[in-house]
Amino acid sequence: MLALLFLGACSGGVDDPLGPSSEGPAVVATDAGAPLQDSAGITLPWGSAPAPDGLAAAQAASPITLPVPSGFVVTFVARECAAPSNVVSITSPVSQTLLTTACQAAIGQSWSFPGPFPAGTTIELSLQSTSGQSAARVSGAFPNWTVSFEDGFDNDFNDLVFTVTAQADTPDCPTAPAFQDPDVIDGLRDLWDQSNPDAAPAERVESGAWIIQTPAGFELVPIPNPNPDPCSFSPGEVGMPLGAVGKIHTHVFRRDEVVPPDICDKFPTGGEAQRGPGRADRETAQRINEAVGETINEYILDPEGILTYTVDDEGIIDSLSPSGSCGVVR
């Protein structure tokens, strides 16, 4: 099911599969501009202990965490300070001094750390300030964060500002063996074509299939959908066939694409499409796991590629990884 952010007076949140919430994994997407870094979305007050040569370091108490294997780029985007000796460094996952006289440094400099670094890697930037009272805030969510430093003189948190942009190490295909089988790739192309992703919004439809392992390899077996809809895949009660190793269905709207009102039964007011498994997708996965007594991989084919995910026994996402579309989406 497509997750939508409603544009009307509707209340409620949006599931962001690449960020933490009460139902999701460990990195959260938040309202624009909200200072945060842990799952509670707190503003971070860094402590400042004296450092050598009279400087004090401000370092993230809850550092940026990469949810998927990624490299990243740090960019110096703004400064409003005059102190002569503010030093900015990266302390994790590598140790390197970025600027030794940051308040006099040119805006626009960037530093690339290609990695890729494994999922769970923390990124920490620090400021050593002549004031001894430096602090910092982090805002944003994967793949873009902003680190705003206060050097201890005016408490405005705009003295030195950096962006951190993750560059995910995204494979062309999911790593599961089924996606190395040419018959499965052909089936994915058929599934995507059936979904009419380039048609007018009202003419698109989510489609789905079982991924079956056979003695000869793997194949896709389409799942009949008696109630086709652009915003949901709802085939009703469908038995899981022998040999099934996963299920895939399509999402036919681009991230942030505006879905018009009155084309989807479940979302009559329309909204903005968000990438990832919606509530009904997670509930369906939970029911399948309960029926077969094991965790089955779920896949979503969308305009950006393929998302692989699993849910736990409460329907909460406990793993999610992106990949390319195996050449299906062009």
Side-chain angles (χ1 to χ4, degrees):
M1 175 182 175
L2 182 71
L4 292 179
L5 174 61
F6 297 114
L7 298 180
C10 176
S11 63
V14 179
D15 296 316
D16 187 331
L18 298 182
S21 68
S22 59
E23 327 185 332
V27 176
V28 74
T30 65
D31 295 336
L36 75 143
Q37 188 47 50
D38 73 354
S39 59
I42 62 169
T43 299
L44 300 174
W46 277 268
S48 54
D53 302 322
L55 302 181
Q59 188 164 332
S62 180
I64 294 166
T65 301
L66 295 174
V68 297
S70 307
F72 62 94
V73 175
V74 178
T75 303
F76 186 28
V77 296
R79 58 173 167 82
E80 291 287 343
C81 60
S85 303
N86 282 352
V87 178
V88 177
S89 303
I90 182 169
T91 57
S92 177
V94 298
S95 180
Q96 178 180 328
T97 299
L98 304 182
L99 298 171
T100 55
T101 54
C103 293
Q104 289 73 44
I107 301 300
Q109 299 181 67
S110 63
W111 300 264
S112 178
F113 302 92
F117 302 94
T121 295
T122 58
I123 302 171
E124 296 179 354
L125 299 182
S126 71
L127 167 64
Q128 292 180 314
S129 170
T130 55
S131 72
Q133 297 295 325
S134 54
R137 289 176 178 166
V138 178
S139 61
F142 179 84
N144 300 303
W145 297 268
T146 299
V147 181
S148 304
F149 285 109
E150 167 56 47
D151 67 0
F153 293 100
D154 52 15
N155 201 36
D156 57 8
F157 285 89
N158 68 352
D159 297 321
L160 297 162
V161 182
F162 296 80
T163 59
V164 177
T165 303
Q167 298 175 322
D169 180 41
T170 303
D172 292 335
C173 279
T175 57
F179 292 91
Q180 316 307 314
D181 192 309
D183 289 341
V184 170
I185 305 306
D186 288 343
L188 290 176
R189 292 192 181 96
D190 292 342
L191 196 68
W192 191 239
D193 290 344
Q194 293 165 14
S195 300
N196 298 323
D198 298 320
E203 298 173 5
R204 305 177 199 178
V205 59
E206 292 191 6
S207 304
W210 294 108
I211 302 172
I212 306 294
Q213 186 169 13
T214 70
F218 297 88
E219 62 182 9
L220 290 192
V221 175
I223 301 173
N225 187 6
N227 302 299
D229 186 278
C231 302
S232 62
F233 178 65
S234 304
E237 295 298 324
V238 177
M240 183 172 175
L242 187 67
V245 294
K247 179 175 70 67
I248 186 165
H249 73 284
T250 60
H251 282 183
V252 293
F253 292 98
R254 299 182 305 277
R255 189 200 309 250
D256 299 328
E257 182 178 358
V258 175
V259 181
D262 300 323
I263 69 167
C264 300
D265 292 341
K266 294 181 181 295
F267 305 105
T269 61
E272 288 183 359
Q274 299 296 301
R275 192 179 192 208
R279 187 180 305 276
D281 295 334
R282 300 194 304 271
E283 291 174 348
T284 299
Q286 178 188 8
R287 289 196 298 271
I288 292 173
N289 291 348
E290 290 174 348
V292 300
E294 60 180 303
T295 299
I296 298 296
N297 279 346
E298 297 276 343
Y299 304 90
I300 294 172
L301 174 62
D302 68 14
E304 295 183 43
I306 296 174
L307 291 172
T308 303
Y309 68 98
T310 58
V311 303
D312 63 16
D313 56 7
E314 295 181 356
I316 298 173
I317 294 173
D318 60 8
S319 72
L320 186 146
S321 58
S323 73
S325 69
C326 306
V328 171
V329 179
R330 299 185 183 279

